[in-house]
Amino acid sequence: MKIIVTGGAGFIGNHLIERLLDRGDSVICIDNFFTGQKKNIERFLDNQNFSLLEHDIVQPLKGVEADQIYNLACPASPIHYQYNPIKTIKTSTIGMINMLGLAKKCGARILQASTSEVYGDPHVHPQVESYWGNVNPIGIRSCYDEGKRVAETLCMDYHRAHNLDIRIIRIFNTYGPNMHPQDGRVVSNFIVEALAGKPITIYGDGSQTRSFCYVDDLVSGIIAMMDQDGFIGPVNLGNPVEFSMKELADLIIALTGTASEVTYMPLPQDDPKQRQPDISLAKEKLNWEPTIDIEMGLKKTIEYFKSV
Ligand code: NAD
Ligand code: UDP
């Protein structure tokens, strides 16, 4: 198959491209390199089934065709999506419309990488797909959360209006090798601090929870969703094992053997208190569930950060 991956030079994108190339697909990576890195895709450059298009999805795209489009383009870390919030919204709205238009033109199936952030600071726990969420529309996270919610709406409207073949996945916190050391997300921050022997910075009192999925598990779920017929989603993809940030810090301290202490900083505005995916739907429809536990995943990730 001929497959477009937008955001392919990013953290999840490069793992996805590797899996698609390995099974023999031909892949066009589209990226504007805002948070993506050339080094993430360098290993594909000699592969004749791989091509790179440096392009911003906010601009219309012509002259490319595909059977499938994975739309991953969007900064995912709070520091990056808040850096230029208007650009973040444009990416999830104008960029989404451009990619839906492209899918319509070439008759491609399109998968949108949505997020657990559509649930905001959730009152339903664990989060089920039928929950509409608790999102602040005017806060500093809104450019990302509301942008992704509009992107889901656009997918559904193109589906209803044009019978477009869509898939929507809601990704929960994912980690693993090839995260950018300065990405700003909690797993990379804690590991980089632990390996440098610097204090581990917890925002707030560390009681807020997240559920962390290893990237290889996530990529299996993403491809399973794209390749099945008849279920458009949205579907939660994540690891349901929930940790507080204090527990995560303690685990990373133990696994790295660092002498780092824990230090506390103010909690950012609208930081969700809890997050855990209900993955019953993914189990039922995709026969998917994560297989890599947090200790194994963190060990692989720590090895990666040691090597860079
Ligand atoms: P990332 O920041 O590493 O990758 C995003 C990629 O998109 C980068 O390569 C970036 O350069 C590119 N990009 C951004 N804006 C673009 C634009 N306008 N045009 C073209 N390319 C653009 O993030 P990631 O963790 O790999 O996330 C990938 C996708 O998955 C994102 O859509 C994100 O919202 C979603 N997601 C990720 C997580 C997670 O925990 N990693 C959780 C929920 C959702
Ligand atoms: N966090 C933290 N220290 C850091 C980075 C993040 O304590 O150095 C906290 C953050 O406040 C949040 C959780 O860890 O409660 C997850 O943050 P991340 O940015 O990784 O993802 P998100 O908030 O989008 O789930």
Side-chain angles (χ1 to χ4, degrees):
M1 263 186 298
K2 198 166 174 185
I3 301 180
I4 289 174
V5 179
T6 77
F11 160 54
I12 296 173
N14 81 91
H15 289 277
L16 174 63
I17 290 175
E18 182 166 287
R19 203 76 77 81
L20 298 172
L21 289 173
D22 281 353
R23 71 176 194 186
D25 292 317
S26 101
V27 176
I28 305 169
C29 168
I30 294 177
D31 206 294
N32 70 350
F33 292 100
F34 173 49
T35 51
Q37 305 177 78
K38 289 250 159 72
K39 90 179 198 5
N40 277 345
I41 50 167
E42 249 164 24
R43 64 191 188 282
F44 311 134
L45 293 177
D46 288 340
N47 188 325
Q48 57 179 18
N49 285 332
F50 177 79
S51 54
L52 170 66
L53 194 58
E54 192 161 344
H55 175 82
D56 190 319
I57 64 160
V58 171
Q59 305 305 325
L61 180 61
K62 291 193 179 122
V64 284
E65 299 231 317
D67 305 302
Q68 294 183 338
I69 301 171
Y70 288 90
N71 188 38
L72 271 58
C74 185
S77 168
I79 53 165
H80 294 304
Y81 68 65
Q82 286 164 20
Y83 171 76
N84 186 345
I86 296 167
K87 180 62 194 259
T88 301
I89 299 194
K90 282 186 181 172
T91 298
S92 287
T93 54
I94 302 171
M96 184 81 248
I97 291 172
N98 285 334
M99 291 306 106
L100 288 163
L102 179 67
K104 182 168 167 256
K105 200 167 139 213
C106 55
R109 178 175 291 177
I110 181 165
L111 176 144
Q112 165 62 1
S114 189
T115 168
S116 54
E117 294 285 329
V118 300
Y119 302 120
D121 193 4
H123 292 151
V124 170
H125 193 74
Q127 290 76 59
V128 281
E129 290 84 350
S130 53
Y131 177 48
W132 291 353
N134 175 40
V135 175
N136 177 359
I138 55 169
I140 56 171
R141 293 175 82 99
S142 314
C143 60
Y144 183 72
D145 303 7
E146 297 288 18
K148 290 283 187 178
R149 286 168 67 95
V150 172
E152 288 196 12
T153 308
L154 285 165
C155 289
M156 291 305 299
D157 283 332
Y158 268 74
H159 177 67
R160 284 186 285 253
H162 302 297
N163 204 22
L164 196 72
D165 194 11
I166 61 152
R167 300 287 180 274
I168 300 172
I169 55 168
R170 294 181 177 156
I171 303 172
F172 283 64
N173 298 64
T174 299
Y175 70 99
N178 299 355
M179 290 186 94
H180 194 293
Q182 266 81 51
D183 178 79
R185 278 176 278 189
V186 68
V187 174
S188 45
N189 273 9
F190 283 3
I191 294 177
V192 168
E193 287 164 344
L195 292 179
K198 292 185 177 157
I200 296 195
T201 323
I202 293 181
Y203 304 156
D205 64 6
S207 63
Q208 73 272 32
T209 67
R210 296 292 186 274
S211 307
F212 297 98
C213 186
Y214 189 68
V215 66
D216 287 354
D217 279 333
L218 180 81
V219 167
S220 302
I222 296 178
I223 293 175
M225 181 61 177
M226 178 64 115
D227 284 351
Q228 54 76 44
D229 295 316
F231 170 58
I232 63 171
V235 66
N236 290 338
L237 294 180
N239 191 319
V241 183
E242 185 183 12
F243 287 88
S244 73
M245 294 311 99
K246 177 69 170 71
E247 287 170 328
L248 179 71
D250 289 342
L251 188 55
I252 288 175
I253 288 171
L255 291 175
T256 53
T258 182
S260 295
E261 309 229 317
V262 165
T263 174
Y264 293 88
M265 303 255 288
L267 190 67
Q269 189 193 323
D270 292 338
D271 201 281
K273 284 182 248 346
Q274 53 183 2
R275 206 183 281 145
Q276 181 189 31
D278 181 320
I279 59 164
S280 311
L281 201 57
K283 282 184 187 164
E284 181 201 324
K285 300 281 189 187
L286 311 177
N287 195 23
W288 174 87
E289 64 183 311
T291 58
I292 298 165
D293 68 28
I294 187 101
E295 266 202 44
M296 194 195 292
L298 283 178
K299 279 182 189 159
K300 289 173 192 256
T301 311
I302 290 165
E303 283 316 302
Y304 166 74
F305 278 110
K306 278 184 185 165
S307 75
V308 295

